[in-house]
Structures are given as structure tokens and as C-alpha cells.
């Protein structure tokens, strides 16, 4: 998919964009069959400062994928797993917020490699810079920049 940049004017727009984005990702994945099918998880890295919209975007993705619970960022949790319902039942949505981790080992201990090796996993990481050395090359990077109180530039890069 092509790299692109978009500006949103409020949180709801960011969630709508997130929903469209996962729709495209999943259509492309589900459209591939046989040998070309992706054998690993989808990995989305969300880069940007506090308050730039990473969790808001994650909520939009989760909802569009079929997560029924509300995705939030509990201060004491590094990773939370959500089960998808509806037509993607059997898939998992993993939301990671690495803001507070001290060492990449904390993530490896949570089963990071097995999660990424499962094609039924959709993995979203806030603060990916915390585990720069163990980020796979094949991933999607999304960068969030606050332009004003309610405007965000969102840049997509398909690696
Ligand atoms: P992060 O996870 O990057 O720290 P959050 O998504 O938790 O950021 O918070 C973003 C905050 O900015 C929310 O309070 C949200 O309502 C507000 N906001 C205002 N405009 C936007 C926008 N265009 N996109 C996303 N969030 C926005
Ligand atoms: Mg957040």
C-alpha cells in the first residue's frame, strides 16, 4: 500500500480514519490466498507524543475489527489482548502501551515472538521506540503530530 499523510480535525475523525485503514489492511490480507497469504501477525506501530492520538486511533481500529470492549490505556497494563467477534472471530487484537517499560525483556517475557508469529493476531504498539531493536522490519508505521488542539497530522508508512 502507498504511504500517505492525512489531517484530522477531531478525535472522531481520527477513529473513522482508523476504521477505514483497518478495512484496507484486512481486505488486502483476506484477498490473498495460498502461498502468498501472510503467515505472520499484522504489526502496527504508533509513533508520537503524549496526547497526539495514538490511543484514539487504536480505539477506532479495534472497533472496526470487531472488538466489543472499549480499548483504553490502563496505567498498570503493558499489554491487553482482546478477542474479535463477528466475521473475524478467532482473531486477537493486542494493544501494547510501552510508555512505562524499562527493558525490552519485559515484552519478550510476554510472548512477543509467538504473538508476532501468529497470523490471527493484529498487534498495535504505542511507544514502539522503547523496543526499537526488536521491532521486525515488516510493519506499518503511523506517526501522529499535533498541529493544534484538535488537528492531527497522521502519516502512514508501509514497511
Ligand atoms: P495518545 O495515546 O497519543 O497519548 P490519546 O489518543 O490518548 O493520545 O489522546 C488524544 C487526545 O486528543 C484525546 O483527548 C482526544 O479527544 C484529543 N483530540 C483532539 N483532536 C484530536 C484528533 N484530531 N485526533 C485524535 N485525538 C484528538
Ligand atoms: Mg496512548
Amino acid at each position: 500500500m502507498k504511504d500517505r499523510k492525512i489531517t484530522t480535525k477531531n478525535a472522531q475523525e481520527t477513529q473513522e480514519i482508523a476504521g477505514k485503514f483497518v478495512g484496507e489492511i484486512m481486505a488486502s490480507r483476506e484477498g490473498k490466498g495460498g502461498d502468498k497469504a501472510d503467515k505472520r501477525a499484522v504489526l502496527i506501530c504508533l509513533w508520537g507524543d503524549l496526547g497526539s492520538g495514538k490511543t484514539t486511533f487504536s480505539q477506532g481500529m479495534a472497533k472496526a475489527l470487531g472488538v466489543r470492549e472499549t480499548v483504553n490505556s490502563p496505567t498498570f497494563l503493558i499489554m491487553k489482548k482482546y478477542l474479535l467477534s463477528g466475521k473475524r472471530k478467532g482473531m486477537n487484537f493486542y494493544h501494547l502501551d510501552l510508555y512505562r517499560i524499562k527493558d525490552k525483556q519485559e515484552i519478550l517475557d510476554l510472548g512477543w515472538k509467538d504473538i508476532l508469529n501468529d497470523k490471527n493476531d493484529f498487534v498495535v504498539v504505542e511507544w514502539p521506540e522503547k523496543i526499537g531493536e526488536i521491532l521486525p522490519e515488516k510493519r506499518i508505521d503511523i506517526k501522529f503530530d499535533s498541529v493544534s488542539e484538535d488537528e492531527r497530522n497522521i502519516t502512514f508508512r508501509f514497511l
Side-chain angles (χ1 to χ4, degrees):
M1 265 175 277
K2 274 210 186 104
D3 293 355
R4 69 188 84 149
K5 181 172 166 180
I6 195 161
T7 303
T8 62
K9 293 193 161 54
N10 54 55
Q12 194 193 330
E13 249 188 62
T14 292
Q15 295 196 344
E16 284 165 12
I17 292 297
K20 281 190 193 156
F21 164 73
V22 290
E24 278 182 68
I25 296 290
M26 296 313 284
S28 140
R29 246 176 118 79
E30 288 159 358
K32 292 180 199 169
D35 291 346
K36 277 194 186 147
D38 291 300
K39 292 182 179 68
R40 305 193 75 213
V42 179
L43 173 62
I44 317 275
C45 293
L46 307 181
W47 307 77
D49 295 340
L50 214 57
S52 60
K54 302 180 295 299
T55 300
T56 301
F57 191 90
S58 304
Q59 291 164 340
M61 287 195 284
K63 195 170 176 207
L65 281 167
V67 173
R68 291 215 182 105
E69 297 157 80
T70 302
V71 171
N72 46 31
S73 289
T75 44
F76 52 91
L77 267 189
I78 298 171
M79 176 171 91
K80 186 156 179 194
K81 175 183 181 179
Y82 300 86
L83 305 181
L84 301 194
S85 54
K87 69 170 178 175
R88 301 208 176 90
K89 199 168 169 17
M91 286 192 70
N92 313 298
F93 180 85
Y94 285 91
H95 184 225
L96 287 86
D97 187 333
L98 308 184
Y99 190 62
R100 285 168 199 86
I101 69 160
K102 292 191 175 63
D103 193 278
K104 64 179 189 315
Q105 191 59 40
E106 291 179 51
I107 296 310
L108 294 170
D109 291 346
L110 290 172
W112 173 249
K113 289 193 172 150
D114 290 337
I115 292 168
L116 289 182
N117 275 321
D118 188 336
K119 65 174 172 19
N120 287 314
D121 293 341
F122 195 101
V123 185
V124 176
V125 183
E126 296 190 35
W127 300 101
E129 44 273 78
K130 295 274 186 165
I131 53 163
E133 313 138 67
I134 58 165
L135 282 179
E137 276 173 38
K138 187 166 166 25
R139 60 176 198 260
I140 300 168
D141 278 342
I142 309 180
K143 175 81 170 61
F144 296 80
D145 293 292
S146 299
V147 184
S148 66
E149 196 177 335
D150 291 322
E151 257 181 303
R152 303 287 186 272
N153 281 338
I154 306 176
T155 314
F156 297 82
R157 213 164 151 237
F158 297 85
L159 300 171

